[in-house]
Amino acid sequence: MDGFEPPHLLGDLSAKIRGVGQFALRAGTDDIIHVLSARERAVRNVLEQRLRPGDVFVDAGANIGFFSVIASNLVGESGQVIAFEMMPETAARLRHHFAINDLPSAKIFERALFDKDGETITATSSAQKFGQASVSPEFQAEPGRTIRHDVPTVRLDTALADIGDIALMKMDLEGAELGALLGAKDVLARCAAVIFENNSKDERVVGLLRSAGFSIRHLGGREHLAYRSEE
């Protein structure tokens, strides 16, 4: 919601979310809002409807891993979760959450998703709002409260070259979705569905997904689902 100021924790908090898992939340951050069970309920519903044991789930912009942990529970030991998180501090917290929830098969790429491999670009977030990091040049951090990291890039086609069919991909890149999709031609061809944000209402994102054979429906808020037209 535009203008919404998320709550910040005054101290570190260990939280056990019923039906999901354990999370170690950081003081002075918006971590708590990213583990609220009611948050983005439509996204969670799609995971629960589409993921089955043995499936592959890709979390592009995983943050601290709330949806990755949910997906890991759904796909089980025979499935696979592959998470991308470019911000170093958040990627470290994501690894910790995979460890304390006993998800050793979940894989993390600490890379920015882009249409070129091996470049270095600047990722930006507002201080305390680590769930709102982006490499989009249009991203606006709060004046005087900006955190920047130079991060390496990877294309989804490169990172997932050895992965077969993908049941579902969630893409939450704070306005950088187009660049990631331009590097995912092969991945999209073997992906059944994509949950994506379209913060800027960029018609190029919708057009690219439609040209790859997807239909689009609105889930609520900024979230949309791209799915195969024959479904």
Side-chain angles (χ1 to χ4, degrees), residues 82-120:
I82 304 163
F84 293 84
E85 176 51 54
M86 63 185 176
M87 300 301 274
E89 300 93 339
T90 304
R93 190 58 46 129
L94 177 63
R95 287 191 185 89
H96 180 59
H97 290 157
F98 283 173
I100 63 176
N101 288 288
D102 193 23
L103 306 173
S105 62
K107 185 173 184 180
I108 298 172
F109 283 90
E110 194 174 326
R111 296 287 186 274
L113 291 170
F114 200 51
D115 61 352
K116 298 180 182 66
D117 292 314
E119 297 200 348
T120 299

Side-chain angles (χ1 to χ4, degrees), residues 54-58 71-72 75-82 105-107 163:
D55 280 345
V56 175
F57 173 73
V58 176
S72 293
V75 305
E77 293 183 4
S78 60
Q80 191 170 7
V81 170
I82 304 163
S105 62
K107 185 173 184 180
I163 301 298

Side-chain angles (χ1 to χ4, degrees), residues 8-228:
H8 291 159
L9 289 171
L10 297 178
D12 290 345
L13 176 67
S14 178
K16 186 172 184 179
I17 309 301
R18 183 180 300 174
V20 182
Q22 299 181 67
F23 297 89
L25 309 179
R26 296 167 288 185
T29 75
D30 62 349
D31 279 355
I32 191 168
I33 198 172
H34 298 289
V35 299
L36 296 177
S37 293
R39 180 181 175 271
E40 297 185 10
R41 183 67 226 192
V43 173
R44 185 170 176 177
N45 288 344
V46 172
L47 267 66
E48 292 172 347
Q49 291 162 6
R50 288 183 169 268
L51 293 177
R52 298 291 181 270
D55 280 345
V56 175
F57 173 73
V58 176
D59 198 350
N63 193 20
I64 61 173
F66 182 70
F67 289 114
S68 284
V69 173
I70 290 173
S72 293
N73 293 333
L74 293 168
V75 305
E77 293 183 4
S78 60
Q80 191 170 7
V81 170
I82 304 163
F84 293 84
E85 176 51 54
M86 63 185 176
M87 300 301 274
E89 300 93 339
T90 304
R93 190 58 46 129
L94 177 63
R95 287 191 185 89
H96 180 59
H97 290 157
F98 283 173
I100 63 176
N101 288 288
D102 193 23
L103 306 173
S105 62
K107 185 173 184 180
I108 298 172
F109 283 90
E110 194 174 326
R111 296 287 186 274
L113 291 170
F114 200 51
D115 61 352
K116 298 180 182 66
D117 292 314
E119 297 200 348
T120 299
I121 55 178
T122 300
T124 305
S125 73
S126 297
Q128 300 181 325
K129 296 181 181 179
F130 297 122
Q132 300 176 22
S134 181
V135 296
S136 169
E138 283 127 29
F139 179 80
Q140 297 290 323
E142 295 179 6
R145 302 178 67 202
T146 301
I147 295 173
R148 292 186 176 88
H149 287 290
D150 290 335
V151 295
T153 67
V154 70
R155 295 183 307 135
L156 278 163
D157 281 346
T158 301
L160 304 179
D162 296 330
I163 301 298
D165 291 341
I166 298 165
L168 182 63
M169 176 163 64
K170 180 185 74 67
M171 185 168 281
D172 183 357
L173 302 174
E174 299 294 329
E177 285 78 9
L178 180 62
L181 289 170
L182 288 170
K185 180 180 178 181
D186 295 338
V187 163
L188 291 176
R190 58 184 190 272
C191 187
V194 182
I195 300 168
F196 67 99
E197 279 196 353
N198 196 3
N199 292 351
S200 59
K201 298 181 180 178
D202 191 338
E203 288 301 318
R204 294 173 297 173
V205 170
V206 172
L208 189 156
L209 287 165
R210 284 185 173 144
S211 69
F214 294 96
S215 296
I216 311 293
R217 69 177 173 89
H218 184 223
L219 293 175
R222 296 170 176 171
E223 304 291 349
H224 298 74
L225 177 68
Y227 61 97
R228 293 293 171 191

